[in-house]
Amino acid sequence: MLAELSPTLIAEVALATKLLKLKQRICILTGAGISAESGIPTFRDKQTGLWENYGVEDLATPEAFIRDPKLVWSWYQWRRQVVADKAPNPAHHALAQWQYHAQSSDQQITLITQNVDDLHEQAGSTVTHLHGNLWRNKCSQCETPVQNQARDSYSSKDTVGYDEALMTCYQCGGYIRPDIVWFGEALPVDEWQTAETAATNCELFISIGTSSLVYPAAGLAQSAKQNGAKIIEINPNPTPNTLVDITLAEKAGVILPLLIQEIIAL
Ligand code: OAD
């Protein structure tokens, strides 16, 4: 596998491996790119099919839901179908293995994700979700949590139209929405606290598969850097983030198993 990488990348992987072995407090932030190799499109990918004329900013906002709740609900029902039968890829598995290994070492690993899928959990990781969970719903008015349709009732073969039936809250009659943090909404308090504390106190911050465009999550790397942490970025399309010390410009599913096998083999 190593032989297939460029000499520059091999050198960067060696540097990153040293840091991973040396540092004890580690904060990892993942984004949509880590699930791309599982077949889940990222947000910056052009939308396809029914949704090709919409950007994520047209759909993932409270204003969009007020304007056209059926449209937004249908989009999330479609996303649930896309994600329902997807499985973790080697990147998720490598992180889970590292977390498991760390339980019997001095390393403290905090895994934070912006993703609303549950592929980290499926791989066996403990993870903090900053942007909510695709498999949960709540009332858009009174925020009462609402039981979701069973996951295995979604099939990628079904068709989702623009006018999926809306559900209403049994408490107040408000429309049911996905329990996801939309643009312009506040992040969940406890999860954000966990993320900020881990980023501020870490010695090594690893950013994986995120465009680092969406705040406040994108600011976590800054908090880490200000407190002296080294920053590694894993992304086949490196971001213009000038804080990064080591750029691993390859897919997460290629790089993470390489890095983690070095640590586990210690
Ligand atoms: P984006 O879609 O903005 O960025 C995905 C990143 O993953 C890009 O920089 C890709 O180059 C990179 N990428 C693609 N394939 C990869 C692979 N195999 N390995 C590693 N990296 C890969 O996704 P996020 O940064 O997660 O918020 O987006 C942040 C937030 O904006 C999302 O949580 C979502 C979105 O709008 C909400 O829905 C609130």
Side-chain angles (χ1 to χ4, degrees):
M1 181 73 86
L2 210 51
E4 292 161 21
L5 306 183
S6 71
T8 316
L9 190 50
I10 292 173
E12 296 290 289
V13 167
L15 282 176
T17 305
K18 265 193 201 156
L19 283 182
L20 261 68
K21 286 180 177 171
L22 196 68
K23 304 294 185 188
Q24 290 187 326
R25 295 185 308 280
I26 293 149
C27 180
I28 303 171
L29 175 68
T30 66
I34 197 167
S35 297
E37 290 160 80
S38 295
I40 302 176
T42 70
F43 291 95
R44 308 303 138 190
D45 286 341
K46 188 162 167 35
Q47 303 232 65
T48 53
L50 286 173
W51 313 104
E52 66 189 351
N53 296 323
Y54 295 92
V56 66
E57 290 81 0
D58 303 323
L59 296 161
T61 68
E63 293 78 18
F65 190 71
I66 290 167
R67 199 168 48 238
D68 193 343
K70 276 191 173 178
L71 175 74
V72 174
W73 179 252
S74 302
W75 186 59
Y76 278 101
Q77 289 292 77
W78 170 77
R79 288 181 60 76
R80 286 171 174 152
Q81 284 190 341
V82 170
V83 171
D85 57 0
K86 300 298 184 286
N89 65 54
H92 298 101
H93 286 301
L95 290 180
Q97 263 182 303
W98 190 16
Q99 273 191 323
Y100 180 73
H101 181 265
Q103 289 171 2
S104 51
S105 78
D106 292 336
Q107 286 190 315
Q108 274 171 35
I109 301 174
T110 308
L111 177 60
I112 315 288
T113 190
Q114 298 166 88
N115 297 344
V116 296
D117 66 51
D118 59 358
L119 298 189
H120 282 305
E121 288 93 332
Q122 281 190 46
S125 276
T126 303
V127 60
T128 298
H129 284 269
L130 289 183
H131 290 170
N133 181 323
L134 188 60
W135 299 106
R136 283 198 316 248
N137 285 319
K138 65 178 182 182
C139 174
S140 59
Q141 299 299 316
C142 69
E143 306 218 332
T144 300
V146 179
Q147 179 86 36
N148 194 19
Q149 206 176 313
R151 182 201 191 108
D152 57 12
S153 68
Y154 290 89
S155 156
S156 47
K157 292 180 192 72
D158 293 345
T159 321
V160 171
Y162 277 132
D163 53 357
E164 277 280 289
L166 290 167
M167 295 193 298
T168 48
C169 175
Y170 67 95
Q171 298 266 28
C172 74
Y175 288 132
I176 302 305
R177 55 164 279 182
D179 191 0
I180 283 178
V181 180
W182 284 335
F183 288 99
E185 293 185 321
L187 266 50
V189 174
D190 290 350
E191 284 81 351
W192 178 245
Q193 181 69 54
T194 301
E196 252 199 325
T197 305
T200 309
N201 294 323
C202 74
E203 298 166 282
L204 177 61
F205 185 92
I206 310 178
S207 169
I208 305 170
T210 172
S211 53
S212 299
L213 292 173
V214 178
Y215 283 79
L220 291 170
Q222 281 158 15
S223 305
K225 189 77 177 185
Q226 275 161 10
N227 288 285
K230 292 283 185 195
I231 314 277
I232 297 177
E233 178 176 84
I234 303 176
N235 193 322
N237 312 300
T239 66
N241 187 344
T242 52
L243 305 172
V244 174
D245 296 291
I246 299 178
T247 300
L248 302 172
E250 234 318 336
K251 291 179 177 173
V254 172
I255 293 295
L256 282 167
L258 278 177
L259 291 178
I260 305 311
Q261 83 187 12
E262 291 289 328
I263 298 175
I264 310 275
L266 268 178

